[in-house]
Amino acid sequence: MLIVMKSDATRSDIDRVVEIIKKLGLRGHELPGESRTAIGITGNKGSVDPTHFENLTGVADAIRVTKPYKLISKDLRPEQSVIKVGNGFIGGGDLAIIAGPCAVENPGQVFKVAEAVAASGAKFFRGGAFKPRTSPYAFQGMGEDGLKILSEVRERFDLNIVTEAMDEHGIDLVEKYGDCIQIGARNMQNFSLLKYAGRTRKPVLLKRGLSATLDEFLLAAEYIMAEGNYDVILCERGIRTFSDHARNTMDLSIVPAIRRLSHLPVIVDPSHGTGHNYMVNPMARAGVAVGADGLIIEVHPCPEEALCDGAQALTPLQYSELVDQVRKIHDLVGEKTFAQV
Ligand code: PEP
Ligand code: MN
């Protein structure tokens, strides 16, 4: 059930609706929009009787939701969500660029990349301190020491930190040192982790699972939001297909597909999406052209020496060329991408 308030509904009208939802043993999620507030209801097993709400002052409509998701939906919030990440914003028209190494390796490596990222005008820095590696013998990340280096990047370069957490303890640490919790492709359906992230107050960058459908991806975001954290950014990072010329197949049509259904921002990761240095720039351009709200790009001062994902890392120079090019494309397509879906 979705309660749509009238545009002139007062604070106490909204509080009254939320109170009734609580009395029914359910949870109300208030999402204020530009012209009206909507309140999503979760926790119900069957359908909720609309007569509880229909005649209350300030209520415009009580709508039964037939889709499997509620809070991610444009029915709840017709305007695009803009998510605050540290002192920057993702969504809502500007192109957000998140860049940095795959993994935090040492302070020198990280600061070199941070310098290039700050110089490009990007507002967000990435870097993993906890790395989900295929082999248990591969470099697993620096852990908390890596997060300390990242928080130094925030102080020195005024960049907002996006970094992955793989378990609950990792989320606690990322909350302490970072600005945005990344949940990786391998954990997209780790439901207890999603719920835990939903109980934090930090925004979450949710990457699409390696074989996740659109609905599975959106429902993973719904898990986070159902716990009360509405600050979710979706990320297409490529999926597994029979195609073997690239590490993954970047499924760019998911950008307009998400746009049609959801108010959440969606960004694109051409680094993991392709796995090859030479493919990152063209696919980044394509991602911006289809209307992504941003990009996440891996950069390393010396890709051939990277401890993780060196084959897809850009040099700082390649990265700055990419930023110049995608900004031009974004200026060209910008607002038009919203109008078409
Ligand atoms: C990463 O961003 O470094 C990463 C491991 O991404 P993914 O979860 O998409 O593989
Ligand atoms: Mn990586």
Side-chain angles (χ1 to χ4, degrees):
M1 170 87 30
L2 169 63
I3 313 294
V4 180
M5 302 302 292
K6 291 181 179 159
S7 54
D8 60 355
T10 63
R11 183 66 253 168
S12 70
D13 294 339
I14 297 170
D15 289 344
R16 176 95 185 104
V17 172
V18 173
E19 196 186 300
I20 292 175
I21 296 170
K22 226 187 237 167
K23 274 199 189 136
L24 292 168
L26 307 173
R27 181 161 183 179
H29 302 265
E30 188 187 321
L31 262 86
E34 270 161 31
S35 55
R36 44 82 156 165
T37 289
I39 304 162
I41 302 178
T42 59
N44 50 305
K45 299 273 183 288
S47 59
V48 182
D49 184 356
T51 56
H52 289 297
F53 305 99
E54 265 163 9
N55 300 322
L56 296 175
T57 357
V59 171
D61 212 352
I63 305 166
R64 281 216 169 95
V65 180
T66 49
K67 298 185 191 108
Y69 27 73
K70 303 174 181 180
L71 307 176
I72 62 103
S73 166
K74 270 190 156 169
D75 297 335
L76 184 66
R77 192 184 159 87
E79 305 89 18
Q80 290 293 312
S81 284
V82 180
I83 311 292
K84 190 164 193 290
V85 176
N87 64 15
F89 294 91
I90 299 184
D94 282 348
L95 183 68
I97 295 178
I98 307 169
C102 177
V104 174
E105 297 172 7
N106 57 67
Q109 167 240 15
V110 170
F111 297 145
K112 254 186 220 155
V113 180
E115 218 173 291
V117 174
S120 75
K123 295 272 181 300
F124 309 95
F125 191 79
R126 64 147 293 146
F130 302 102
K131 295 306 305 175
R133 304 304 300 277
T134 303
S135 163
Y137 308 117
F139 175 59
Q140 303 285 308
M142 288 181 71
E144 188 167 359
D145 287 342
L147 293 176
K148 288 181 183 161
I149 298 173
L150 290 172
S151 72
E152 220 178 307
V153 167
R154 186 199 302 101
E155 300 319 315
R156 280 173 58 170
F157 298 92
D158 191 28
L159 290 166
N160 301 297
I161 305 301
V162 179
T163 188
E164 179 164 357
M166 301 202 308
D167 52 27
E168 278 82 349
H169 176 60
I171 287 188
D172 292 343
L173 290 173
V174 172
E175 260 204 290
K176 181 170 165 199
Y177 294 103
D179 299 296
C180 180
I181 304 160
Q182 177 175 322
I183 296 199
R186 290 153 194 83
N187 274 315
M188 191 210 79
Q189 283 190 317
N190 181 340
F191 300 117
S192 59
L193 192 66
L194 297 175
K195 285 185 185 173
Y196 197 85
R199 294 193 285 270
T200 70
R201 297 275 71 88
K202 283 272 155 86
V204 177
L205 175 68
L206 178 65
K207 297 189 111 187
R208 182 181 180 187
L210 279 77
S211 64
T213 62
L214 173 64
D215 270 3
E216 287 164 346
F217 190 18
L218 294 176
L219 284 166
E222 188 82 20
Y223 259 96
I224 298 167
M225 297 178 80
E227 295 295 323
N229 185 349
Y230 310 121
D231 293 337
V232 179
I233 301 138
L234 301 170
C235 176
E236 161 61 29
R237 48 79 70 205
I239 49 170
R240 283 264 168 101
T241 67
F242 57 82
S243 193
D244 61 359
H245 61 277
R247 179 178 178 182
N248 290 296
T249 298
M250 261 182 84
D251 184 19
L252 286 180
S253 64
I254 204 163
V255 174
I258 290 171
R259 204 52 102 217
R260 173 167 282 213
L261 296 171
S262 178
H263 54 86
L264 295 175
V266 52
I267 69 163
V268 156
D269 175 351
S271 304
H272 295 89
T274 66
H276 296 286
N277 174 293
Y278 78 96
M279 291 182 179
V280 173
N281 179 317
M283 293 310 283
R285 288 183 279 162
V288 174
V290 296
D293 292 290
L295 296 170
I296 180 164
I297 306 285
E298 288 190 347
V299 186
H300 196 283
C302 193
E304 55 283 5
E305 287 172 16
L307 297 181
C308 185
D309 286 352
Q312 66 198 35
L314 299 188
T315 63
L317 180 63
Q318 290 173 325
Y319 162 72
S320 77
E321 285 166 0
L322 176 148
V323 172
D324 286 346
Q325 294 176 14
V326 295
R327 285 229 170 95
K328 284 184 191 137
I329 295 172
H330 184 257
D331 286 346
L332 214 63
V333 293
E335 297 294 313
K336 290 183 200 130
T337 57
F338 293 95
Q340 283 159 9
V341 288

